[in-house]
Structures are given as C-alpha cells and as structure tokens.
Amino acid sequence: MSAEHPTLPPVRLRADAELARDALAAPLLARAVRLARWAGPGTRVDAGGELVDEQLPEAAALLGLTPDEDGELAAGDAWRLAVDTGLVEVRDGTEGEDGDTPGTAAPGENLAVVTGGSPQDVLALWLDGFDAVFGDAVAPVIDDLDALVGEDGEIDIEALDWDPESEAEFLEGVLGNLYLLTVSEAAPDDGPVPLPALAASMVVPDDMGEPTDDVLEQVSDAMMRLDEQFQLLEPIGLVEYQPVDEALMAEEGEEPAPPVDDEDVTRYGMVRLTPLGLYGVRARMLDAGVDAPAVGDLADKGADALLDGIASYPEAAAAEETAAWLVGRDALTAARELLHAARGADAGSPLRRLHCQQTLSLVGPEAEPAVREVLDDAELGGLARVWLAEHGAADVPAPPESMVFWLAIDTIAAQLDADGDLEELQELVEGLTGRHSGFFEAAWRVPHPATAEVLEAMGRLHRDKASAKEARKAAFKARSQRPN
C-alpha cells in the first residue's frame, strides 16, 4: 500500500573517533604514514613517482618487513598509497637517452591530517586510500608483461581482455552483497561469510536450482579472483580475510571447485567487513546514489522525516532511531510534532500513525496534553484514545462507532505495510471481526483510502471460510463506491 521501501536496512556505525583510530591502525595506511615521515632530500623516485629500486630495501627495513622481494613489494605498495593519498608529494624523475634522472619526494600536506586533523578528516584520508586500493584490486593481473608490449614500447591494453567497468562493477556488487549480509537483522551473527557463497551470490541466477558445471566453473573463477582482491583489501582495514587454503590448489588443480556439503568450507576462504569496512562500503554506496541509511541519521531531522524514515526499519533499529530522535527534545513539543506528522491520507500514512503511537510510548506521560488535543481528530482520535487507555489516563471519552471502524482499518493497513507476522495478523483480523458483529457490513463504508485493500487482505487472512467470503464481498462494495 505504501511506496516501495529502501532496499538496505540501516547500519549501526561506530563513532567517527573510533573509526578514525581504526583507519590509522590499518597496516597499509600506517606504513604509508611512516614512509611519508621518512621521505626527504635523499629520497629518489622514478619517472612514475615510484621509489627507485635502490631505495626499496631501506624502505622495507624501515617498515620492519622481510629483506626479500615480498618485503620490497609491500614497501612499494605502501609508498604508492602515500603518494595517492597526498601523504607524500613527488617530483617525478625523467627518462632520457643519456640516462634516467631521478625525481624527489617530500612529506605532503595531508601528513598533517594524521596528527592534527579531525576524525572526519582522517576518515576522508582513509577513503582516498580505500579508493586507491580498490583501483588496484580491479586492475588486470599481468603474468607476462613482455608479451603485451608493442613495437612502440606501449602496453597493448586491448590484448589484456580486461573491461575495467565490468571488473569494478563486479567487485562493487560483491562488497554490496557482503554489506547487506552484515547489516541484515536476518543474519545469524556477525561471523565471516564463506567465499564460495559470496561468489555464488554474484554468479548463480536466483531462479536456478542445481547449478550447471559451467556455472560452477564460473563460481570457481570468481572465487580465485576474489581471493586475490580480498588479500589486497585486507591491509587497508576493509575486511578480515582468511585466504583460500593453498593446499586445495594441489588437491584440485589450478582452481578449486566450490565445496560440497561434507567439506570444511573455511578452507575455501572466509571474509567479513570490519566496522571500518562497513563505513567505507556505505560511503561508496552513498556516492553512487544508493539509499544506505544509518541508525542516527534522523536524529536531527523533523518528525515527518523520522516517521517516514523508520517505515522500512526493522523493529530494533526503529526503536534505536526514535530513542535517539527524542534525546534533547522537549517531550510535549516532540509529541505535538509527531502527531502533526502522523496526519495524512497518503499510502504511507497508516504506518506513520503506527510508528507515531509507538514513539509516543517512549515520550511517556508528558505527552498527555498533546494527545488530548487530538481526541476529536478523525485520523488521530482513535490513536489518542488507545494511548490514553494504555497509560491509565482518566476521563477518556468513548469513541464514536465511525472512529472505531476507521481505526480498525487504519491499524490493519499499517500492519500489512509493516510486513508483520502472518499469525499475528490473522489473530488481529479474527479478533476484530469476533468483537464486532456485522463488522464487514460497517467496514466497507469506512472513508479510509485503504478500505478496499484491507478488506481484500482480510479475505485472504481469515481462516473462517464464511468470514473470508464476507470480507471479499465487502471489498467489492468498497471499490464500487470509490469515485472514478
């Protein structure tokens, strides 16, 4: 009955200060900061801004890395991140026929952010680093560079069989699925996700029963690519990752097939987003225009934004959001704002009124004067009487019959829109019809925009066949009296 709800549930983010500490502790960024402080007059870079080969051992030793090729590669990765994030400023070297002239490097302006910036500044720096590492993760894997170099000395990009847009889209989709699994309240816990399941979520069609051999091969290919990508993304603090067991390569060939039921799935890779990773993936989503709410987003908004916003929230998140919204607000003023925002005849108004009633229960008895002010309101009078009765108020006037039936339709409409528990909905429907003889004869006349839809739903939900038939007849009558 209401507009389509946002796809993503709200995420619970840690405080910016805590996330900023996590960002600075991320191994790759921490190494980049150390190299930025080390950079100076004696630092030499090549034409691409990379450290010259002669200085890589010194950089690796500074970072406490192993004095071998792997250590030098890791030092090179940290240097590139320092350059990409503005922690280091370089003046590129030049290449010439008479020999190469090395460039120079010095600490960049953004190094001051590490010690003197706000948490938001630090997180912005980290997001720049995440973007850089993401770019590395979707870059092509080149096994034989010489085979790709043309006669002009340039790399033949077309020979790579690499589509940068599709590669980026795939990894964005994987991170989006991982984000959804993390924030969903249906998730069993915050434990890691098996890599095969994540790969399958991107490859296996939703309507496919038993995957074909071709699809399983695609899942295996995706697993191997993701294994490489998550190993790149882990040092920036985005994920915690347990790589694919290398022994599987020897057991099953170059690429392991997805596990069968009796195998230890952890051997095939396990991954989860860190709290910092949740923040980073959400930031990318927001930049892409995705609606990715966070608990607390509505705390400084008006009551109308609150009631509309929590319409799609799970119960626990909605309670957190409303509690945060009430903090620092005058109780009576907040109650009046909520009641005003609950009015309306649009498709989302029944759910707004339900959330208004729930939020008023958090306000407490201080809301009573505002609630009494709407006792004669056609849309809010029933809600007001229920609230007063629940709080043991005296002198609650009896509602007119028209208000009783209007509230019944409004309440069921709200529960239907909230995707409530089926059994609870059935009990609500059967309880209403049991308490009021001739319910359907009166209900179809209720001037509520959702009357016909509610009666149709009651016909589907009621377990008594005769009552269900009455409901369907009443729904037909309600539709017939609607103006064209």
Side-chain angles (χ1 to χ4, degrees):
M1 272 168 277
S2 68
E4 186 177 346
H5 295 158
T7 302
L8 296 173
V11 62
R12 294 171 179 85
L13 294 175
R14 293 185 179 178
D16 284 354
E18 189 173 353
L19 291 172
R21 286 194 293 272
D22 289 347
L24 293 176
L28 187 57
L29 184 59
R31 290 171 182 170
V33 169
R34 292 184 68 183
L35 290 180
R37 290 172 174 156
W38 165 76
T43 310
R44 295 291 178 264
V45 298
D46 62 20
E50 304 271 0
L51 281 175
V52 296
D53 291 344
E54 294 78 11
Q55 290 203 306
L56 284 173
E58 182 182 353
L62 175 75
L63 299 176
L65 299 171
T66 54
D68 54 21
E69 184 179 356
D70 287 343
E72 292 182 11
L73 286 172
D77 290 341
W79 178 262
R80 281 192 297 277
L81 187 77
V83 174
D84 290 338
T85 55
L87 293 169
V88 167
E89 292 181 1
V90 298
R91 181 174 294 175
D92 293 347
T94 58
E95 296 177 347
E97 294 182 0
D98 298 330
D100 297 344
T101 302
T104 58
E109 290 183 2
N110 282 345
L111 185 57
V113 170
V114 174
T115 54
S118 67
Q120 293 75 23
D121 293 334
V122 171
L123 289 172
L125 177 70
W126 179 84
L127 285 173
D128 288 343
F130 173 28
D131 286 343
V133 175
F134 184 95
D136 291 341
V138 299
V141 177
I142 300 175
D143 296 321
D144 185 0
L145 182 60
D146 292 338
L148 296 173
V149 177
E151 295 181 359
D152 58 357
E154 299 293 326
I155 295 178
D156 183 2
I157 299 297
E158 293 184 0
L160 287 172
D161 189 25
W162 172 63
D163 182 346
E165 290 186 6
S166 64
E167 286 286 342
E169 184 178 338
F170 183 83
L171 185 54
E172 293 278 15
V174 168
L175 294 177
N177 284 353
L178 188 56
Y179 179 93
L180 181 58
L181 288 169
T182 306
V183 302
S184 173
E185 294 203 350
D189 53 40
D190 61 351
V193 177
L195 191 63
L198 199 55
S201 72
M202 296 296 295
V203 174
V204 181
D206 293 336
D207 57 354
M208 177 174 281
E210 188 71 20
T212 63
D213 289 344
D214 180 59
V215 168
L216 289 175
E217 184 176 350
Q218 292 178 49
V219 172
S220 180
D221 291 342
M223 284 169 52
M224 290 300 92
R225 183 68 173 126
L226 288 173
D227 181 62
E228 297 171 350
Q229 291 173 328
F230 283 133
Q231 290 188 61
L232 289 174
L233 292 168
E234 185 177 35
I236 197 64
L238 190 83
V239 295
E240 294 176 5
Y241 184 57
Q242 176 183 321
V244 176
D245 186 346
E246 291 186 2
L248 288 170
M249 307 297 184
E251 292 173 12
E252 305 187 31
E254 292 185 3
E255 294 182 356
V260 295
D261 293 341
D262 59 348
E263 288 187 271
D264 179 6
V265 73
T266 63
R267 297 184 66 197
Y268 292 80
M270 302 289 287
V271 62
R272 67 175 157 196
L273 287 173
T274 65
L276 183 62
L278 275 173
Y279 169 85
V281 174
R282 176 177 181 260
R284 289 184 71 89
M285 288 179 170
L286 293 176
D287 286 345
V290 176
D291 185 4
V295 174
D297 278 353
L298 306 175
D300 59 349
K301 304 293 192 298
D304 53 347
L306 174 72
L307 296 183
D308 282 335
I310 63 175
S312 61
Y313 282 22
E315 185 176 348
E320 285 183 54
E321 192 70 63
T322 53
W325 186 85
L326 289 169
V327 171
R329 281 181 162 84
D330 174 72
L332 184 57
T333 301
R336 288 189 173 119
E337 290 178 3
L338 288 164
L339 288 163
H340 178 75
R343 288 188 172 92
D346 58 282
S349 61
L351 194 52
R352 282 205 307 276
R353 284 184 281 274
L354 175 63
H355 285 304
C356 172
Q357 184 174 346
Q358 293 169 342
T359 305
L360 286 173
S361 67
L362 299 176
V363 177
E366 295 90 343
E368 183 171 341
V371 173
R372 287 190 177 276
E373 290 168 3
V374 299
L375 280 170
D376 295 329
D377 188 288
E379 295 176 353
L380 303 177
L383 174 157
R385 285 168 171 79
V386 171
W387 188 93
L388 289 168
E390 288 177 345
H391 287 75
D395 303 322
V396 181
E401 186 177 76
S402 60
M403 185 175 287
V404 171
F405 285 98
W406 195 96
L407 179 62
I409 295 294
D410 199 59
T411 299
I412 297 174
Q415 293 293 346
L416 289 169
D417 206 23
D419 297 324
D421 179 78
L422 176 60
E423 189 172 338
E424 290 180 3
L425 269 172
Q426 288 177 322
E427 291 175 358
L428 173 63
V429 166
E430 292 167 4
L432 283 169
T433 57
R435 286 194 300 273
H436 301 282
S437 60
F439 177 89
F440 294 113
E441 183 58 32
W444 72 265
R445 295 181 170 88
V446 172
H448 190 292
T451 296
E453 288 83 355
V454 165
L455 290 171
E456 282 184 353
M458 293 179 77
R460 294 191 302 271
L461 292 166
H462 211 298
R463 286 168 286 199
D464 178 73
K465 291 184 178 180
S467 297
K469 186 176 181 180
E470 281 189 68
R472 291 192 293 271
K473 287 182 178 179
F476 178 80
K477 291 179 180 178
R479 288 195 184 281
S480 67
Q481 74 167 358
R482 279 183 176 177
N484 293 328

